[in-house]
PDB file of all heavy atoms in Angstrom:
ATOM      1  N   ASP J 209      67.362  38.107   7.281  1.00 96.00           N
ATOM      2  CA  ASP J 209      67.472  38.833   8.545  1.00 96.00           C
ATOM      3  C   ASP J 209      68.822  38.501   9.180  1.00 96.00           C
ATOM      4  O   ASP J 209      69.065  37.375   9.604  1.00 96.00           O
ATOM      5  CB  ASP J 209      66.327  38.425   9.470  1.00 96.00           C
ATOM      6  CG  ASP J 209      66.314  39.207  10.784  1.00 96.00           C
ATOM      7  OD1 ASP J 209      67.268  39.986  11.018  1.00 96.00           O
ATOM      8  OD2 ASP J 209      65.363  39.030  11.571  1.00 96.00           O
ATOM      9  N   THR J 210      69.706  39.489   9.247  1.00 94.00           N
ATOM     10  CA  THR J 210      71.052  39.269   9.798  1.00 94.00           C
ATOM     11  C   THR J 210      71.200  39.857  11.199  1.00 94.00           C
ATOM     12  O   THR J 210      72.314  39.955  11.715  1.00 94.00           O
ATOM     13  CB  THR J 210      72.111  39.878   8.872  1.00 94.00           C
ATOM     14  OG1 THR J 210      71.847  41.281   8.687  1.00 94.00           O
ATOM     15  CG2 THR J 210      72.117  39.174   7.516  1.00 94.00           C
ATOM     16  N   THR J 211      70.084  40.212  11.831  1.00 94.00           N
ATOM     17  CA  THR J 211      70.145  40.679  13.218  1.00 94.00           C
ATOM     18  C   THR J 211      70.439  39.496  14.131  1.00 94.00           C
ATOM     19  O   THR J 211      69.740  38.484  14.079  1.00 94.00           O
ATOM     20  CB  THR J 211      68.816  41.333  13.635  1.00 94.00           C
ATOM     21  OG1 THR J 211      68.513  42.404  12.748  1.00 94.00           O
ATOM     22  CG2 THR J 211      68.899  41.855  15.058  1.00 94.00           C
ATOM     23  N   VAL J 212      71.471  39.616  14.944  1.00 96.00           N
ATOM     24  CA  VAL J 212      71.844  38.533  15.858  1.00 96.00           C
ATOM     25  C   VAL J 212      71.194  38.784  17.213  1.00 96.00           C
ATOM     26  O   VAL J 212      71.484  39.780  17.879  1.00 96.00           O
ATOM     27  CB  VAL J 212      73.376  38.425  16.000  1.00 96.00           C
ATOM     28  CG1 VAL J 212      73.734  37.381  17.054  1.00 96.00           C
ATOM     29  CG2 VAL J 212      74.003  38.070  14.655  1.00 96.00           C
ATOM     30  N   ARG J 213      70.293  37.889  17.591  1.00 96.00           N
ATOM     31  CA  ARG J 213      69.639  37.953  18.898  1.00 96.00           C
ATOM     32  C   ARG J 213      70.042  36.737  19.718  1.00 96.00           C
ATOM     33  O   ARG J 213      70.329  35.670  19.169  1.00 96.00           O
ATOM     34  CB  ARG J 213      68.112  37.987  18.734  1.00 96.00           C
ATOM     35  CG  ARG J 213      67.571  39.268  18.115  1.00 96.00           C
ATOM     36  CD  ARG J 213      66.087  39.139  17.788  1.00 96.00           C
ATOM     37  NE  ARG J 213      65.906  38.246  16.643  1.00 96.00           N
ATOM     38  CZ  ARG J 213      65.849  38.663  15.382  1.00 96.00           C
ATOM     39  NH1 ARG J 213      66.007  39.950  15.102  1.00 96.00           N
ATOM     40  NH2 ARG J 213      65.671  37.802  14.408  1.00 96.00           N
ATOM     41  N   THR J 214      70.050  36.887  21.025  1.00 96.00           N
ATOM     42  CA  THR J 214      70.414  35.784  21.917  1.00 96.00           C
ATOM     43  C   THR J 214      69.341  35.630  22.991  1.00 96.00           C
ATOM     44  O   THR J 214      68.687  36.612  23.367  1.00 96.00           O
ATOM     45  CB  THR J 214      71.767  36.039  22.592  1.00 96.00           C
ATOM     46  OG1 THR J 214      71.704  37.267  23.329  1.00 96.00           O
ATOM     47  CG2 THR J 214      72.882  36.116  21.566  1.00 96.00           C
ATOM     48  N   PRO J 215      69.133  34.410  23.492  1.00 95.00           N
ATOM     49  CA  PRO J 215      68.084  34.201  24.508  1.00 95.00           C
ATOM     50  C   PRO J 215      68.257  35.062  25.743  1.00 95.00           C
ATOM     51  O   PRO J 215      67.260  35.465  26.356  1.00 95.00           O
ATOM     52  CB  PRO J 215      68.213  32.702  24.831  1.00 95.00           C
ATOM     53  CG  PRO J 215      68.817  32.096  23.605  1.00 95.00           C
ATOM     54  CD  PRO J 215      69.749  33.140  23.072  1.00 95.00           C
ATOM     55  N   TRP J 216      69.505  35.334  26.129  1.00 95.00           N
ATOM     56  CA  TRP J 216      69.706  36.049  27.388  1.00 95.00           C
ATOM     57  C   TRP J 216      69.442  37.555  27.295  1.00 95.00           C
ATOM     58  O   TRP J 216      69.476  38.251  28.303  1.00 95.00           O
ATOM     59  CB  TRP J 216      71.101  35.793  27.936  1.00 95.00           C
ATOM     60  CG  TRP J 216      72.241  36.061  27.000  1.00 95.00           C
ATOM     61  CD1 TRP J 216      72.876  37.240  26.786  1.00 95.00           C
ATOM     62  CD2 TRP J 216      72.893  35.098  26.172  1.00 95.00           C
ATOM     63  NE1 TRP J 216      73.880  37.088  25.870  1.00 95.00           N
ATOM     64  CE2 TRP J 216      73.927  35.777  25.477  1.00 95.00           C
ATOM     65  CE3 TRP J 216      72.733  33.730  25.950  1.00 95.00           C
ATOM     66  CZ2 TRP J 216      74.768  35.131  24.570  1.00 95.00           C
ATOM     67  CZ3 TRP J 216      73.566  33.097  25.050  1.00 95.00           C
ATOM     68  CH2 TRP J 216      74.568  33.788  24.374  1.00 95.00           C
ATOM     69  N   THR J 217      69.178  38.068  26.106  1.00 94.00           N
ATOM     70  CA  THR J 217      68.866  39.489  25.972  1.00 94.00           C
ATOM     71  C   THR J 217      67.382  39.743  25.713  1.00 94.00           C
ATOM     72  O   THR J 217      66.960  40.897  25.654  1.00 94.00           O
ATOM     73  CB  THR J 217      69.673  40.117  24.816  1.00 94.00           C
ATOM     74  OG1 THR J 217      69.329  39.459  23.592  1.00 94.00           O
ATOM     75  CG2 THR J 217      71.166  39.992  25.070  1.00 94.00           C
ATOM     76  N   LEU J 218      66.583  38.689  25.566  1.00 92.00           N
ATOM     77  CA  LEU J 218      65.165  38.848  25.240  1.00 92.00           C
ATOM     78  C   LEU J 218      64.336  38.925  26.516  1.00 92.00           C
ATOM     79  O   LEU J 218      64.372  38.010  27.336  1.00 92.00           O
ATOM     80  CB  LEU J 218      64.680  37.673  24.389  1.00 92.00           C
ATOM     81  CG  LEU J 218      65.360  37.508  23.026  1.00 92.00           C
ATOM     82  CD1 LEU J 218      64.893  36.216  22.367  1.00 92.00           C
ATOM     83  CD2 LEU J 218      65.066  38.704  22.127  1.00 92.00           C
ATOM     84  N   PRO J 219      63.557  39.993  26.697  1.00 84.00           N
ATOM     85  CA  PRO J 219      62.718  40.087  27.893  1.00 84.00           C
ATOM     86  C   PRO J 219      61.613  39.042  27.854  1.00 84.00           C
ATOM     87  O   PRO J 219      61.151  38.653  26.773  1.00 84.00           O
ATOM     88  CB  PRO J 219      62.145  41.506  27.821  1.00 84.00           C
ATOM     89  CG  PRO J 219      62.181  41.846  26.365  1.00 84.00           C
ATOM     90  CD  PRO J 219      63.397  41.155  25.805  1.00 84.00           C
ATOM     91  N   PRO J 220      61.177  38.553  29.007  1.00 70.00           N
ATOM     92  CA  PRO J 220      60.093  37.559  29.012  1.00 70.00           C
ATOM     93  C   PRO J 220      58.802  38.162  28.511  1.00 70.00           C
ATOM     94  O   PRO J 220      58.522  39.346  28.720  1.00 70.00           O
ATOM     95  CB  PRO J 220      59.987  37.157  30.496  1.00 70.00           C
ATOM     96  CG  PRO J 220      60.554  38.324  31.240  1.00 70.00           C
ATOM     97  CD  PRO J 220      61.623  38.905  30.364  1.00 70.00           C
ATOM     98  N   ARG J 221      58.025  37.350  27.814  1.00 67.00           N
ATOM     99  CA  ARG J 221      56.712  37.808  27.379  1.00 67.00           C
ATOM    100  C   ARG J 221      55.793  37.882  28.586  1.00 67.00           C
ATOM    101  O   ARG J 221      55.880  37.072  29.508  1.00 67.00           O
ATOM    102  CB  ARG J 221      56.148  36.865  26.328  1.00 67.00           C
ATOM    103  CG  ARG J 221      56.805  37.070  24.970  1.00 67.00           C
ATOM    104  CD  ARG J 221      56.232  36.163  23.924  1.00 67.00           C
ATOM    105  NE  ARG J 221      56.720  36.530  22.598  1.00 67.00           N
ATOM    106  CZ  ARG J 221      56.636  35.752  21.538  1.00 67.00           C
ATOM    107  NH1 ARG J 221      56.100  34.563  21.647  1.00 67.00           N
ATOM    108  NH2 ARG J 221      57.101  36.147  20.369  1.00 67.00           N
ATOM    109  N   LYS J 222      54.897  38.837  28.548  1.00 59.00           N
ATOM    110  CA  LYS J 222      54.014  39.065  29.679  1.00 59.00           C
ATOM    111  C   LYS J 222      52.696  38.325  29.498  1.00 59.00           C
ATOM    112  O   LYS J 222      52.208  38.131  28.389  1.00 59.00           O
ATOM    113  CB  LYS J 222      53.725  40.561  29.835  1.00 59.00           C
ATOM    114  CG  LYS J 222      54.981  41.426  29.961  1.00 59.00           C
ATOM    115  CD  LYS J 222      55.722  41.141  31.249  1.00 59.00           C
ATOM    116  CE  LYS J 222      56.918  42.098  31.386  1.00 59.00           C
ATOM    117  NZ  LYS J 222      57.660  41.849  32.625  1.00 59.00           N
ATOM    118  N   SER J 223      52.118  37.926  30.614  1.00 50.00           N
ATOM    119  CA  SER J 223      50.765  37.400  30.583  1.00 50.00           C
ATOM    120  C   SER J 223      49.789  38.572  30.505  1.00 50.00           C
ATOM    121  O   SER J 223      50.181  39.731  30.537  1.00 50.00           O
ATOM    122  CB  SER J 223      50.480  36.572  31.845  1.00 50.00           C
ATOM    123  OG  SER J 223      50.480  37.412  32.975  1.00 50.00           O
ATOM    124  N   LYS J 224      48.498  38.278  30.420  1.00 48.00           N
ATOM    125  CA  LYS J 224      47.517  39.357  30.351  1.00 48.00           C
ATOM    126  C   LYS J 224      47.538  40.212  31.603  1.00 48.00           C
ATOM    127  O   LYS J 224      47.155  41.377  31.581  1.00 48.00           O
ATOM    128  CB  LYS J 224      46.111  38.775  30.130  1.00 48.00           C
ATOM    129  CG  LYS J 224      45.909  38.231  28.720  1.00 48.00           C
ATOM    130  CD  LYS J 224      44.462  37.835  28.499  1.00 48.00           C
ATOM    131  CE  LYS J 224      44.253  37.387  27.049  1.00 48.00           C
ATOM    132  NZ  LYS J 224      42.851  36.993  26.804  1.00 48.00           N
ATOM    133  N   ALA J 225      47.984  39.641  32.720  1.00 45.00           N
ATOM    134  CA  ALA J 225      48.069  40.401  33.959  1.00 45.00           C
ATOM    135  C   ALA J 225      49.333  41.243  34.011  1.00 45.00           C
ATOM    136  O   ALA J 225      49.580  41.938  34.981  1.00 45.00           O
ATOM    137  CB  ALA J 225      48.027  39.453  35.164  1.00 45.00           C
ATOM    138  N   GLY J 226      50.176  41.155  32.957  1.00 46.00           N
ATOM    139  CA  GLY J 226      51.383  41.963  32.922  1.00 46.00           C
ATOM    140  C   GLY J 226      52.543  41.362  33.665  1.00 46.00           C
ATOM    141  O   GLY J 226      53.533  42.027  33.945  1.00 46.00           O
ATOM    142  N   ARG J 227      52.454  40.063  34.008  1.00 46.00           N
ATOM    143  CA  ARG J 227      53.523  39.397  34.753  1.00 46.00           C
ATOM    144  C   ARG J 227      54.028  38.227  33.939  1.00 46.00           C
ATOM    145  O   ARG J 227      53.294  37.647  33.143  1.00 46.00           O
ATOM    146  CB  ARG J 227      52.991  38.909  36.108  1.00 46.00           C
ATOM    147  CG  ARG J 227      52.555  40.067  36.995  1.00 46.00           C
ATOM    148  CD  ARG J 227      51.561  39.636  38.037  1.00 46.00           C
ATOM    149  NE  ARG J 227      52.138  38.735  39.000  1.00 46.00           N
ATOM    150  CZ  ARG J 227      51.468  38.288  40.059  1.00 46.00           C
ATOM    151  NH1 ARG J 227      50.239  38.657  40.261  1.00 46.00           N
ATOM    152  NH2 ARG J 227      52.047  37.461  40.906  1.00 46.00           N
ATOM    153  N   PRO J 228      55.299  37.838  34.136  1.00 46.00           N
ATOM    154  CA  PRO J 228      55.830  36.698  33.382  1.00 46.00           C
ATOM    155  C   PRO J 228      55.008  35.449  33.635  1.00 46.00           C
ATOM    156  O   PRO J 228      54.504  35.221  34.736  1.00 46.00           O
ATOM    157  CB  PRO J 228      57.262  36.559  33.922  1.00 46.00           C
ATOM    158  CG  PRO J 228      57.596  37.907  34.471  1.00 46.00           C
ATOM    159  CD  PRO J 228      56.305  38.462  34.997  1.00 46.00           C
ATOM    160  N   ALA J 229      54.865  34.627  32.597  1.00 43.00           N
ATOM    161  CA  ALA J 229      54.114  33.380  32.741  1.00 43.00           C
ATOM    162  C   ALA J 229      54.847  32.430  33.660  1.00 43.00           C
ATOM    163  O   ALA J 229      56.065  32.329  33.630  1.00 43.00           O
ATOM    164  CB  ALA J 229      53.931  32.721  31.365  1.00 43.00           C
ATOM    165  N   PRO J 230      54.136  31.704  34.545  1.00 43.00           N
ATOM    166  CA  PRO J 230      54.784  30.783  35.470  1.00 43.00           C
ATOM    167  C   PRO J 230      55.253  29.522  34.780  1.00 43.00           C
ATOM    168  O   PRO J 230      54.732  29.133  33.741  1.00 43.00           O
ATOM    169  CB  PRO J 230      53.661  30.464  36.476  1.00 43.00           C
ATOM    170  CG  PRO J 230      52.404  30.615  35.680  1.00 43.00           C
ATOM    171  CD  PRO J 230      52.681  31.742  34.719  1.00 43.00           C
ATOM    172  N   ALA J 231      56.239  28.857  35.368  1.00 41.00           N
ATOM    173  CA  ALA J 231      56.719  27.585  34.850  1.00 41.00           C
ATOM    174  C   ALA J 231      55.684  26.505  35.113  1.00 41.00           C
ATOM    175  O   ALA J 231      54.866  26.595  36.032  1.00 41.00           O
ATOM    176  CB  ALA J 231      58.044  27.207  35.502  1.00 41.00           C
TER     177      ALA J 231
END
Side-chain angles (χ1 to χ4, degrees):
D209 184 354
T210 57
T211 303
V212 175
R213 292 171 288 268
T214 58
W216 53 86
T217 61
L218 298 174
R221 284 181 171 164
K222 305 293 184 180
S223 67
K224 288 187 176 180
R227 296 157 66 176

